[in-house]
Amino acid sequence: VDRVRLGFIGCGSVVRVMFGPFFRDLRGAEVIAVADTDEASARYVKQLYGVPHAYTDYRDLLAQAPVDAVVVGTPPHLHEEHVVAAARAGKHVLCEKPMATTVAACRRMIAACRDAGVLLMPGFMKRFQGSMLRAHELVERGDLGRVRHARADWGGIGIPSLRTGPSPEMRLAWKPVTPGGGVVHDLFSHTADLFRWLLGEVTLVGAEADVTQPKRSVDDAAVVTCRHRSGTTSVHVINYFSRRPWRECYELDGESATLQIRATGESWISTHGFELTLFEGPPPRATRITPNELEAFDLELRQNGQYLRELEHFCRAVRGEEPLRVTGEDGLRTAELVSAAYISAWRGAKVAIPLQEDEPDLAALFTDLKARRHPP
Ligand SMILES: NC(=O)c1ccc[n+]([C@@H]2O[C@H](COP(=O)([O-])OP(=O)(O)OC[C@H]3O[C@@H](n4cnc5c(N)ncnc54)[C@H](O)[C@@H]3O)[C@@H](O)[C@H]2O)c1
């Protein structure tokens, strides 16, 4: 394949805000079709980003549009159906995170893609962001010394002027009617994958998850702790409840330095980057090592833009030019941590990885978590 022909299943915020803006700039690939059960959404993305074909049934896209690969950007509880159908149609798949809402579903998706001989890549785009790659390099090179502790702090109120997608309130709005989860699914899936990549596999998970407001039916505030095999501990504070401005910040405490990775805007906008600062001392010394804020928009997007780099990497893998850097197995491992966090929050006990037990019925779990916080 010289030029990978792509289709997108789902035309919601992830396509409108994150991927759509650079559809026309893709190298070695072109987006030729989109599908969404909501006709207006499909038409909107088709017209705004100049996509030739739009469908209201993803099966028509798979059967009629000559695509080599698809990006699945539907709500998480539908990923399995859409990925398995795409694989059976012989299409390579980039599936948005979380790859699925259960480990069992991840297994079936991996098997379907393997049987069909197509690639499956979960959408952990942070691994492609310029600052994150630099952070990974610093950790690997030992510039921080041995990393003992790490923090992820993510959430708050979004900046409406910067987004065309839904507000955090609205983002959760579709979830009450689906068996998908709240912030643990939505944000911890990202921070868990990021810290697995930076700090290694996890062996133990503990969590508190809250449904803080009576009108909500899934978790909107959570704290997850992880023990990594290396002995590093990490804390993930994530929420859609805080009234503070949106913030996304990671800190890695090594024996010789602390690395701070802080989002400079709303990190999901195509070009928004992360600032890197290295703290050493005593006496305290801060060195700014941000590899972004390049002069030209195009350079910034190409060197740091996580969604563009993620998608172009996926397309190079489809063309057989490089191996996938994130695999279905990564999607499964992260789903396992998400399930472990929900089980831990439900039971009030830490959960060992690999997960030895059946995954919980999420609907029952959320009902119970909510009843504890808001007794009937
Ligand atoms: N990587 C990221 O930064 C990032 C950011 C946002 C969302 N996401 C992920 O992308 C996925 C979608 O999230 P979103 O925020 O775009 O949600 P959204 O609700 O804005 O959009 C989902 C879209 O899917 C459509 N849809 C529902 N059922 C469908 C079906 N059967 N066939 C075709 N289309 C269907 C809906 O009509 C809607 O337009 C989720 O997995 C989410 O976690 C990832």
Side-chain angles (χ1 to χ4, degrees):
V1 188
D2 290 340
R3 230 170 134 66
V4 176
R5 291 159 302 176
L6 291 167
F8 275 72
I9 301 179
C11 294
S13 61
V14 76
V15 177
R16 294 175 189 207
V17 185
M18 291 104 184
F19 288 112
F22 56 76
F23 274 4
R24 290 185 173 93
D25 296 323
L26 276 175
R27 288 183 184 159
E30 60 190 320
V31 180
I32 63 163
V34 294
D36 199 300
T37 38
D38 178 36
E39 194 193 344
S41 292
R43 199 175 340 112
Y44 179 83
V45 170
K46 175 183 193 285
Q47 284 170 358
L48 186 62
Y49 297 122
V51 181
H53 306 286
Y55 301 88
T56 50
D57 190 327
Y58 78 90
R59 288 167 296 195
D60 292 338
L61 182 153
L62 292 175
Q64 295 167 24
V67 294
D68 307 298
V70 294
V71 177
V72 171
T74 47
H77 69 291
L78 299 175
H79 290 177
E80 180 182 3
E81 176 191 333
H82 294 154
V83 168
V84 170
R88 287 186 181 150
K91 316 298 181 193
H92 301 284
V93 193
L94 193 171
C95 177
E96 259 314 326
K97 42 58 62 176
M99 198 164 94
T101 51
T102 65
V103 177
C106 291
R107 286 214 174 88
R108 293 189 291 267
M109 293 156 80
I110 290 170
C113 290
R114 190 188 48 228
D115 292 350
V118 298
L119 299 176
L120 170 60
M121 173 171 147
F124 293 124
M125 77 297 173
K126 290 184 193 299
R127 295 193 189 204
F128 296 87
Q129 212 281 332
S131 293
M132 293 297 182
L133 284 159
R134 185 93 172 91
H136 190 262
E137 190 184 303
L138 295 177
V139 172
E140 291 287 298
R141 215 167 62 187
D143 284 21
L144 316 186
R146 192 163 159 204
V147 179
R148 292 291 195 179
H149 184 71
R151 290 172 295 281
D153 178 7
W154 192 4
I157 298 179
I159 309 164
S161 62
L162 289 182
R163 50 200 303 165
T164 54
S167 67
E169 298 278 346
M170 284 169 63
R171 277 179 64 74
L172 286 171
W174 51 260
K175 293 183 168 122
V177 294
T178 76
V183 279
V184 173
H185 263 140
D186 206 21
L187 301 186
F188 177 63
S189 56
H190 272 308
T191 64
D193 177 73
L194 185 65
F195 280 3
R196 276 186 63 245
W197 179 55
L198 290 170
L199 307 170
E201 294 297 348
V202 171
T203 54
L204 196 64
V205 174
E208 294 284 348
D210 260 330
V211 185
T212 55
Q213 295 178 50
K215 65 177 180 183
R216 289 180 172 164
S217 50
V218 292
D219 54 307
D220 58 0
V223 180
V224 186
T225 60
C226 296
R227 177 164 290 279
H228 297 255
R229 193 175 289 150
S230 60
T232 306
T233 49
S234 65
V235 182
H236 307 242
V237 181
I238 45 179
N239 80 78
Y240 281 152
F241 174 65
S242 169
R243 300 295 101 187
R244 72 175 187 186
W246 192 257
R247 172 182 155 90
E248 183 179 352
C249 185
Y250 305 94
E251 284 166 338
L252 311 180
D253 295 330
E255 283 171 346
S256 51
T258 286
L259 181 67
Q260 185 184 72
I261 311 167
R262 204 176 57 81
T264 54
E266 292 204 23
S267 53
W268 57 71
I269 305 289
S270 296
T271 54
H272 280 178
F274 290 84
E275 249 170 28
L276 289 182
T277 311
L278 196 68
F279 296 98
E280 292 162 291
R285 235 176 24 253
T287 314
R288 189 145 173 253
I289 42 176
T290 307
N292 65 3
E293 295 178 357
L294 296 165
E295 278 161 30
F297 178 81
D298 186 55
L299 265 184
E300 177 66 42
L301 194 61
R302 297 219 163 266
Q303 296 196 14
N304 293 310
Q306 52 194 349
Y307 298 98
L308 175 66
R309 292 173 56 120
E310 174 192 41
L311 197 53
E312 287 191 345
H313 161 73
F314 171 68
C315 291
R316 285 193 298 275
V318 167
R319 293 198 303 269
E321 292 168 10
E322 52 192 66
L324 277 187
R325 275 160 45 190
V326 200
T327 64
E329 192 63 25
D330 290 307
L332 182 150
R333 293 276 155 252
T334 298
E336 187 175 38
L337 300 184
V338 167
S339 286
Y342 278 127
I343 294 171
S344 173
W346 203 15
R347 290 232 195 93
K350 289 191 176 169
V351 174
I353 303 295
L355 206 54
Q356 299 296 342
E357 50 201 303
D358 288 345
E359 289 173 276
D361 171 353
L362 285 175
L365 183 149
F366 293 130
T367 306
D368 209 37
L369 285 181
K370 183 167 176 175
R372 286 185 208 167
R373 181 49 96 105
H374 308 281

